[in-house]
Amino acid sequence: MTNKKIASIVLIFFIIVMIESFSFLVSKFNLLSINDTPHIYLKNPKQNISNYWNEKEIWGAWHERNFKVRHKKKCFDVEYNTNEVGARDDSFLESNNNNNIILLGDSFAEGYGVEKDNMFEKKIEKLTKRKILNFSSSKDFGFIQYLLIYQHLAKNFKHDTIIISFLPNNDFKDNDLIYYKDNKLDFISGKKRHRPYYIKKNNTYEILYPKHNENNYKNLIKFSKKYFWTSNVLRSIKYLFVSYKLNKAKQKSLVNNFSKKEIEHITDYYFTPQYQQEAIIFFLKKFIKENSNKNILLFSIPLYEDYEIIKKNDYRKNIYWWKKMKNFDLKNKNFYFLDLHDYAPKKYDDYFFPDKCDGHWNSKGHKWSGEIIAKYLLESDVQ
């Protein structure tokens, strides 16, 4: 082997070591969107945050059963524990009280980044003296999945009330097959995701599951996540790139209908495509009818950007989904719609983690929302 070849190999090896060292440092300081520790460096590789969520069930995203793991970012360091059915909650084995409340929702209701005792469900339990069974999850867990996990799991437990945590910013699109395929979100780590989608057919909406297949680079991704810190850098770059593309696509679709000032902050509370709104309203109406013997409280979560814009110009009465939910509240004795925007304080942004770290409620946000929801339950006819 010539000296030139040896020098080239040494240089390549040096560059790889430098990149891996850099990736290690930025991951350790939680500077990336993804800061997972490679499996080979874990005392118990199975107890990894990437193993906490899975997509094995008929409703898609869920948690491993009887699992315990820490989740760290710059702005939080929390522990997640799941019970015998995979819920982030205490055991349901003795939950045989008809006065129980079923909680359905995504990462906000799951308590992403917040210790269990600081979650809004605990505040509701304390103030109402009722037990909440939490069937919420992260990982693109959308409205269709709320309904499916209720149908296939949650409804088997005694309860008389259902609370739905609704996040307009993503709950309309989380199960839109067209949106996921167009933006290549239907694959993860080279594998087609096992999750339900809705699609419009003959003036109605249906739930479907795409056929299973995998990309060839699936094993390469698994290998890099297992052995290299650099995997965090590559996945974080991909996350930022996809987010940028989605935001630009939305801006392009809105530019002809709204002024530049109006689209400075884009969230789906007010900019959701009509067909996505119609789909969710279709399934919600059906759910209310099928569960007429249960009290259903749906509360909507405004992001801080929503709060800012609505505070300047409250045009909610012109939003299709908002009007429909208000109408359901008036016409159905068992359905209640609570928009938390009506209770948001001037410093609503104090209730979220720092934006550059994470976009969920912090413990103050959970305390605030828990008190509002508990008060509403106690003062209304939701018994």
Side-chain angles (χ1 to χ4, degrees):
M1 187 179 292
T2 65
N3 290 336
K4 265 190 175 181
K5 287 185 177 179
I6 294 174
S8 297
I9 293 172
V10 170
L11 178 60
I12 292 172
F13 178 77
F14 177 75
I15 292 173
I16 292 174
V17 170
M18 290 299 294
I19 293 174
E20 183 68 2
S21 299
F22 170 78
S23 302
F24 166 77
L25 289 173
V26 293
S27 295
K28 279 297 183 181
F29 283 97
N30 294 306
L31 299 178
L32 301 171
S33 301
I34 299 170
N35 299 285
D36 298 342
T37 301
H39 295 187
I40 60 168
Y41 299 119
L42 297 171
K43 292 181 181 179
N44 185 348
K46 289 186 178 181
Q47 300 300 108
N48 183 281
I49 189 63
S50 63
N51 293 329
Y52 174 60
W53 293 283
N54 62 57
E55 290 186 333
K56 301 175 183 176
E57 308 292 346
I58 191 170
W59 54 83
W62 194 226
H63 316 110
E64 287 294 327
R65 294 172 176 80
N66 300 308
F67 200 80
K68 179 179 179 180
V69 69
R70 296 211 69 79
H71 189 193
K72 294 183 181 181
K73 276 193 174 184
K74 283 187 295 183
C75 51
F76 61 74
D77 180 359
V78 300
E79 183 175 273
Y80 298 150
N81 290 275
T82 63
N83 62 16
E84 66 282 345
V85 301
R88 190 192 175 197
D89 211 335
D90 302 326
S91 174
F92 293 163
L93 293 178
E94 296 182 6
S95 301
N96 56 1
N97 191 333
N98 283 326
N99 200 35
N100 290 329
I101 297 174
I102 294 293
L103 174 61
L104 307 173
D106 63 4
S107 51
F108 274 79
E110 178 198 39
Y112 192 94
V114 177
E115 292 289 358
K116 185 67 178 176
D117 288 342
N118 294 329
M119 288 166 55
F120 71 77
E121 70 169 80
K122 288 298 182 183
K123 178 61 68 173
I124 296 173
E125 287 182 335
K126 182 178 179 181
L127 295 175
T128 64
K129 309 300 180 186
R130 300 180 67 179
K131 174 67 177 174
I132 290 182
L133 310 183
N134 193 336
F135 290 89
S136 307
S137 180
S138 302
K139 297 303 174 187
D140 307 320
F141 199 64
F143 192 80
I144 301 304
Q145 291 159 281
Y146 304 171
L147 308 188
L148 287 174
I149 197 173
Y150 179 79
Q151 178 185 348
H152 293 278
L153 181 60
K155 78 173 187 179
N156 297 325
F157 296 86
K158 290 184 177 181
H159 64 286
D160 60 6
T161 301
I162 303 166
I163 293 179
I164 301 175
S165 169
F166 187 74
L167 182 65
N169 191 51
N170 56 32
D171 275 346
F172 291 112
K173 62 190 177 189
D174 268 341
N175 301 116
D176 177 5
L177 180 62
I178 296 173
Y179 175 84
Y180 265 66
K181 288 181 73 69
D182 287 350
N183 293 289
K184 297 180 173 57
L185 300 172
D186 53 333
F187 275 82
I188 187 168
S189 297
K191 181 180 179 181
K192 184 168 283 262
R193 304 180 66 176
H194 175 67
R195 60 193 314 277
Y197 298 95
Y198 64 76
I199 191 166
K200 188 172 185 178
K201 284 188 177 181
N202 302 321
N203 295 319
T204 189
Y205 290 88
E206 298 179 5
I207 297 174
L208 60 84
Y209 294 83
K211 292 182 179 179
H212 174 81
N213 60 45
E214 299 176 1
N215 284 345
N216 293 329
Y217 60 85
K218 175 193 170 188
N219 291 332
L220 179 61
I221 294 172
K222 289 177 67 175
F223 178 81
S224 66
K225 288 168 65 176
K226 183 176 180 179
Y227 292 102
F228 297 104
W229 293 94
T230 306
S231 169
N232 291 335
V233 174
L234 297 175
R235 288 185 291 149
S236 293
I237 291 173
K238 180 183 177 182
Y239 171 80
L240 293 174
F241 177 69
V242 170
S243 299
Y244 172 78
K245 279 185 64 179
L246 293 177
N247 195 50
K248 292 297 287 184
K250 183 174 286 187
Q251 285 182 325
K252 185 177 180 180
S253 69
L254 296 170
V255 72
N256 295 325
N257 300 310
F258 299 92
S259 69
K260 186 176 180 181
K261 185 177 180 181
E262 284 179 303
I263 64 174
E264 184 178 352
H265 297 296
I266 302 173
T267 76
D268 287 78
Y269 189 105
Y270 36 89
F271 289 134
T272 294
Q274 182 77 10
Y275 80 92
Q276 290 182 352
Q277 297 182 59
E278 291 174 351
I280 297 309
I281 292 301
F282 171 86
F283 287 107
L284 175 60
K285 182 178 181 179
K286 186 179 179 207
F287 184 75
I288 295 171
K289 184 177 180 180
E290 290 174 348
N291 296 281
S292 59
N293 63 330
K294 307 291 183 186
N295 289 313
I296 302 171
L297 168 63
L298 183 149
F299 70 89
S300 61
I301 302 172
L303 298 182
Y304 181 63
E305 290 84 351
D306 302 326
Y307 167 75
E308 281 189 312
I309 292 181
I310 296 171
K311 182 175 64 175
K312 295 176 184 176
N313 180 21
D314 191 350
Y315 51 83
R316 288 176 293 174
K317 291 181 180 179
N318 297 322
I319 301 175
Y320 176 82
W321 71 265
W322 197 88
K323 289 190 297 182
K324 285 292 185 179
M325 289 189 183
K326 279 289 186 182
N327 189 49
F328 288 164
D329 188 322
L330 291 172
K331 292 190 174 181
N332 297 275
K333 293 182 179 180
N334 69 315
F335 180 77
Y336 306 82
F337 174 48
L338 172 65
D339 189 344
L340 289 181
H341 175 274
D342 294 327
Y343 303 86
K346 289 184 179 180
K347 292 188 176 181
Y348 185 51
D349 55 332
D350 288 346
Y351 292 168
F352 292 83
F353 288 115
D355 186 49
K356 290 184 178 180
C357 172
D358 189 86
H360 292 87
W361 278 332
N362 55 26
S363 57
K364 287 177 64 176
H366 276 266
K367 180 177 182 294
W368 162 78
S369 58
E371 290 174 348
I372 297 298
I373 297 166
K375 184 178 180 182
Y376 187 89
L377 288 169
L378 292 170
E379 293 182 352
S380 67
D381 294 328
V382 188
Q383 300 295 329

